[in-house]
Amino acid sequence: MSEFTHFNRQGEAIMVDVSAKAETAREAVAEGRISMSRECFEKIKEGEMGKGDVLGVARVAGIMGAKKTSELIPLCHLLNLTKVEIRFALEEETASVRAVCTVRTTGKTGVEMEALTGVQITLLTIYDMCKAVDKGMEMSDIHLCRKSGGKSGEFVRKAE
């Protein structure tokens, strides 16, 4: 059975000591989606949103978000990321945008939180840039798809 590692014996929050861990190659992939009105989706697809290149700006924001994870999540370690990539899939049938964030490092702790933060900041940026057209957009299905490296090894989320 796993134990919570971010608490000491007294139940106080702590940052996990990773100094004795070996450095290994680490990768995590997370994804999420934002659903919107057909009008909003078409404007993104055609590059006609008034604020500019929605997906281009969202990509940069997601990369920045992944890099700033330790500033946003109190007990995350500051990591030297070696790769952050944001990819998009425009899903016509549901008028939604799926974002996928891949993060890599070589280090003593994993990059799952960085991948999840990157994808969420990407989706939030899409919302921010498009809210004048559709305030009812919905972010959903945000999850870790897979991770590799470290003591716990490989994780792949089961398809639903």
Side-chain angles (χ1 to χ4, degrees):
M1 180 152 100
S2 295
E3 61 182 64
F4 291 112
T5 57
H6 286 89
F7 296 99
N8 64 16
R9 288 189 179 106
Q10 293 76 38
E12 301 163 331
I14 60 167
M15 187 174 197
V16 176
D17 182 359
V18 297
S19 58
K21 290 175 121 183
E23 288 201 356
T24 62
R26 316 252 185 170
E27 181 179 83
V29 179
E31 72 174 50
R33 98 181 358 92
I34 185 166
S35 303
M36 60 200 64
S37 68
R38 178 63 54 188
E39 175 192 10
C40 188
F41 180 80
E42 292 299 325
K43 284 183 179 286
I44 290 173
K45 188 172 87 172
E46 301 302 325
E48 296 175 353
M49 196 60 69
K51 285 190 174 182
D53 178 8
V54 172
L55 300 182
V57 173
R59 176 177 287 114
V60 172
I63 292 167
M64 291 174 65
K67 291 167 55 176
K68 298 252 183 215
T69 299
S70 68
E71 295 176 34
L72 299 168
I73 310 296
L75 302 177
C76 277
H77 292 84
L78 177 62
L79 299 178
N80 182 23
L81 303 181
T82 58
K83 175 184 180 169
V84 180
E85 177 184 55
I86 307 288
R87 296 184 325 276
F88 297 104
L90 298 176
E91 299 177 337
E92 288 279 346
E93 60 283 351
T94 58
S96 58
V97 177
R98 184 168 55 95
V100 178
C101 179
T102 302
V103 180
R104 286 190 191 140
T105 194
T106 298
K108 296 178 179 233
T109 188
V111 289
E112 299 92 348
M113 293 304 298
E114 287 72 13
L116 287 161
T117 301
V119 80
Q120 186 66 70
I121 295 297
T122 299
L123 298 175
L124 285 166
T125 302
I126 293 170
Y127 185 94
D128 180 55
M129 292 191 71
C130 299
K131 66 184 181 284
V133 174
D134 181 6
K135 288 179 179 43
M137 290 176 280
E138 183 177 322
M139 290 168 267
S140 63
D141 303 323
I142 298 155
H143 60 272
L144 181 67
C145 302
R146 67 181 189 275
K147 70 79 121 184
S148 62
K151 188 172 84 171
S152 65
E154 190 86 18
F155 165 82
V156 178
R157 184 173 190 256
K158 294 179 179 150
E160 294 178 5

